[in-house]
Amino acid sequence: MSVTIGDIANKVACGGADAANLGKRGCLSLFGTPTNLLAVEKGTVIPSTTQFNLAYLTPQIQKGVIIPIMGASSFEDTSAEDAYSTNSSGIKRLNLKGLPEYKLMFEEGHEFYKQLANLQGYKNFDFIIGDDEGNWMLATNSAGNYQGFQAGHITPELTKRKVKGGDAESKSLLVQFLDRQQFDKNYAILHQDELTFTPSDVPAVNGVVLTYDAIPSAGNTINVTALLASDVSTPVVGLAVANFLLGIGSASETPASLVETTGGKYALTTTTAIQSADVVTTDLWAATLNVDVTDVSGVLFRSALISEVAS
């Protein structure tokens, strides 16, 4: 339908002009307590033809388009109340619609808290909201597609320390949403019964600390150890040649072969011979997506690149 300015000029939608289908037949569509968030790259649109499953989510997480923030211990609705004014005749009128604001509290380790702090910002993410029953809520747009709810301030609050005999140590994430209409009517719910995964299946990215067991030397072997960043002691096992990216001088390659000598320790064989004074770098990598988050049997890992000058 083509609508000109002349068609709509001076027309006002008077509240009661819109019909409301308030019948109660059929099954109720309900949403539970928010405990999971998917931080989505601002402005990302999900076409209505998308299959919302792990095959879609996992590559988006690897590429950094989606950041899962899963498993909050508690939820608090800190949304602002609607504001009214009352005239001298006692008639009340709506002045300002309050904006939604959610606080999710997490009881996790300090590596999680440090990473949560990286999300602080203003209008830097949209959010898909998940509840404790495995349902997901998305915003809808005029084209019939889907997106995250538009967020304003995103504030990881100060970590609360444990008090003897009191609550456990925790850190909360506070998010204010900017578009009230998205919460009032421009949204859709994906119910768990219609999905092929549960929130516990959604892979978050695990940090990895790589270290050289010895400074690389001339030849074709690099020895590295991979440990989880959360405790720097749990070995990362099961890595394959496709999970590594090596830099040798000006060459960049995946290892020719790999042997996991013990849990988390890897002997990497290079195609390019290492020469003395070559800069040798090692990183985890996903070549198919050309990103630094690699997938090992459905578990995602990311490391910081390490570098040494060969002896």
Side-chain angles (χ1 to χ4, degrees):
M1 179 178 66
S2 176
V3 180
T4 67
I5 295 176
D7 292 330
I8 62 175
N10 297 320
K11 288 190 176 182
V12 178
C14 286
D18 295 325
N21 302 323
L22 300 179
K24 298 181 181 180
R25 290 178 177 268
C27 298
L28 297 179
S29 177
L30 302 173
F31 196 76
T33 301
T35 55
N36 305 298
L37 295 172
L38 299 179
V40 183
E41 188 175 275
K42 182 178 173 63
T44 298
V45 174
I46 304 173
S48 61
T49 54
T50 302
Q51 295 187 44
F52 195 75
N53 54 25
L54 292 181
Y56 166 74
L57 290 173
T58 300
Q60 302 303 314
I61 295 167
Q62 288 182 265
K63 290 185 284 188
V65 176
I66 293 176
I67 301 173
I69 311 166
M70 310 296 291
S73 297
S74 69
F75 164 78
E76 182 181 354
D77 191 333
T78 57
S79 302
E81 298 289 340
D82 293 341
Y84 301 86
S85 62
T86 304
N87 66 18
S88 58
S89 300
I91 298 172
K92 183 183 286 188
R93 183 172 182 174
L94 176 65
N95 269 357
L96 180 68
K97 286 188 174 183
L99 292 177
E101 187 178 59
Y102 290 172
K103 179 189 285 191
L104 279 71
M105 186 269 282
F106 298 87
E107 296 173 320
E108 304 291 346
H110 283 270
E111 180 63 20
F112 182 93
Y113 298 156
K114 291 175 183 177
Q115 296 301 319
L116 198 64
N118 291 334
L119 300 180
Q120 180 169 340
Y122 180 70
K123 293 186 177 181
N124 50 334
F125 290 107
D126 299 332
F127 285 89
I128 296 171
I129 302 168
D131 72 5
D132 54 351
E133 300 294 332
N135 307 310
W136 295 93
M137 185 183 292
L138 300 86
T140 58
N141 63 20
S142 58
N145 295 316
Y146 302 90
Q147 61 192 71
F149 293 92
Q150 297 176 22
H153 87 85
I154 302 163
T155 306
E157 296 190 324
L158 182 67
T159 302
K160 292 186 177 180
R161 304 303 178 203
K162 176 178 173 57
V163 176
K164 189 172 182 178
D167 294 334
E169 192 174 52
S170 66
K171 190 176 189 71
S172 294
L173 183 69
L174 190 63
V175 181
Q176 186 185 45
F177 300 96
L178 300 181
D179 190 339
R180 172 70 179 263
Q181 287 200 65
Q182 287 184 330
F183 279 81
D184 284 344
K185 58 184 179 180
N186 296 334
Y187 67 90
I189 297 175
L190 307 182
H191 290 281
Q192 175 60 57
D193 290 346
E194 304 298 324
L195 299 173
T196 59
F197 67 95
T198 65
S200 62
D201 296 324
V202 177
V205 178
N206 298 278
V208 174
V209 175
L210 292 179
T211 55
Y212 288 120
D213 295 342
I215 294 176
S217 57
N220 292 84
T221 302
I222 299 172
N223 293 289
V224 298
T225 296
L227 303 174
L228 287 178
S230 58
D231 57 17
V232 200
S233 62
T234 301
V236 178
V237 300
L239 296 174
V241 292
N243 302 126
F244 284 95
L245 181 66
L246 307 177
I248 303 165
S250 60
S252 179
E253 62 185 53
T254 56
S257 62
L258 169 156
V259 175
E260 187 172 357
T261 55
T262 59
K265 289 186 175 293
Y266 298 88
L268 310 176
T269 301
T270 68
T271 299
T272 303
I274 301 171
Q275 306 294 328
S276 178
D278 276 345
V279 175
V280 179
T281 62
T282 304
D283 198 3
L284 296 184
W285 198 254
T288 54
L289 297 174
N290 200 33
V291 296
D292 63 352
V293 178
T294 195
D295 186 343
V296 182
S297 300
V299 180
L300 302 183
F301 297 104
R302 173 166 46 212
S303 71
L305 180 143
I306 58 173
S307 177
E308 282 284 2
V309 177
S311 60

